[in-house]
Every structure is written in structure tokens, then in C-alpha cells.
Amino acid sequence: MFDVTALGEVLIDFTPAGKSESGEVQFERNPGGAPANVLAALAKLGKKTAFIGKVGNDQFGHYLHSVLCKNNINTKGLVFSNETNTTLAFVHLDEQGDRSFSFYRNPGADMMLKEQEVNLDLLDHTRIFHFGTISMTHEPAASATLMAIKYAKEKGQLISFDPNLRVNLWGNLIRAKEMFTIGLRYANILKVSEEELEFISGSKDPQRGTAFIYDRFHTELIFVTMGGEGCFYRLGEKVGKCSGYKVESIDTTGAGDAFLAGVLYQILEFNRSLSELTLNDVKQIVLFANAVGALATTKKGAIPAMPLMEEISALRDSQVLIKRGMESL
């Protein structure tokens, strides 16, 4: 039995790594892709994970296969394509470490996953199924994703959804909203950024935006990540907010994926249905997830930056001590 199985993209992030002697920007090869990032973070925390997706039968694809294996992620659902190359993404960082992407994916192997290539045996033996919308931008992967979502739902699996909006990958944002809507119909757990919340609900206000989602789709557990400000969360009609952790950020790539991995880890640890969780339980989930997400920004890349439990505990303990010291002044 797997704790979490994810379907979607695993790709190469080329991350800025200083400049050459002639002053040109150099890039470092880093493994990434949102669903794979989530699994890598969970695997580092001791959870059993499996990946479903497609890469090129090229040096990058085989490198990614080795990375997944090295990170203890089951690869029985990974398919190699002889027709299309592995997707590449060049990451551009600003002075605060915030990133933007340039994708080389026209097409990329991740877009070409077919329904018949989805390993349903993995979906039969998992507690949580996780997906995003990058695998829904083009056919045939969109149909493969929808089939897998429906199959997992019919099997009674908990469904986790991170839309992960990348505007430049959608030829038509009307289609993007349609795919978001389909995903929301099935999701039990939703993680969105403030930008994605506005795209879905039309509101930047987290209370109004999440209320719109809950009223329309009955999503049981919603998290809105707000960068350094922390996270707003909704459990049914109840809401709350937790501050983030202060760290020296150098690269925010994969931070949201690390946060979501922290959420899923805690839900697995609680080992209760979402309807049995209290708002205080969700607060504890978010405090842990905030630490996981914060630590992922202190190293370059995505999968290589996912923290160990010892690092998470050390960060949480240090910030509690700082807070107590401030309160005593």
C-alpha cells in the first residue's frame, strides 16, 4: 500500500547558478515537476510514494528515473517515450528568490501520457491520489489525468489537488478554468496560491474566495499559501490563519509543493477522515507544513531542497524559542 500516488510532470529545472568568466548566466540541472516534488518531500519524511507520468527516452528522462529511484519513489508508473523529449523548464529568479519559468514543451513527453499507459494497479493500492493541472493542458495527457482522477475517486481514495497555474502553458485560459473546475469537483484537499484563488473565485480575499469554493464544490479542506505571510485555511465553515517561518530564502522553487507534502504527511499521521478533524488539528497541520515549505526555499532546486524531519523539528523549535523570548521582553 502506498501512502501517496501522484500523476503529472517530472522534468528538468535549469536553475541559475552564477555567471561564467565572461559574465554569462550559468544554469544548473535540477530535477523537478510539482507532483514529483510533493512525492520527494513525502519520501524524505518516510512515506511510501509512487509516480505516474512520462519522460523522454533520452539522457534527461533516464536521469529523472534515477532521481526518483534515489529518492525512494516507486517508478512502476513511469513511461518512456521514443517520440518526444523530456520537458525542460528554465527558472528565472529575482532579487527576492521568487521565480518565473520558461518551458521547453512543444510537445514534451509529459503531455503525451495516454490513458492505457496509466498504471491502475498503483491507484488500487494508495491512500491518497494527488494531481495538478499541468498534465491537463494538452491531450492525450488531459484525458489520462481525468480517467485517473475518476478511477481513484471510485476506489474511495482521498483526492489532493494543486492547480499550479502556469499561464504560459495554456493556449486558452477559458480551457484552463474548465480544467480547474473539473479538478475541484473531485478534490477533497485543495492547495492554491493567492493568484490561483483569484483565478478560481474572482476574489483576492481568502475568506471570500475559499467560501466560494466550499459553497460551490464542497471541498473539505482548503489551503491558501501566502508566501512569507503564512497560510489561510478553511475546514468547512471554519477558517484560520497561521504565520510563516522566517528563513534566509534563496530559491522558492518547489516551496508550495513542499508545503503540500507537509499537509499530506500530517493528514496521514492523523489517520482520521477529514470530517473528524478539528480546526485546531488543521492549525497543527499548517504549522508543520509552513516549516516544510520555508525550509525548501533555503536551498537551490526543488527535489534536492526537500527537508528532512530533523531540519523541520529544528526550525520549529528555534522559532518557538524566539517567540517565547520576545514575549518575555
Side-chain angles (χ1 to χ4, degrees), residues 159-174:
I159 307 295
S160 165
F161 180 36
D162 178 3
N164 199 23
L165 178 64
R166 296 286 179 264
V167 173
N168 57 340
L169 293 183
W170 293 92
N172 186 329
L173 286 182
I174 294 174

Side-chain angles (χ1 to χ4, degrees), residues 288-307:
F288 180 86
N290 278 349
V292 183
L295 284 166
T297 72
T298 62
K299 301 174 186 176
K300 286 187 178 181
I303 289 177
M306 297 305 167

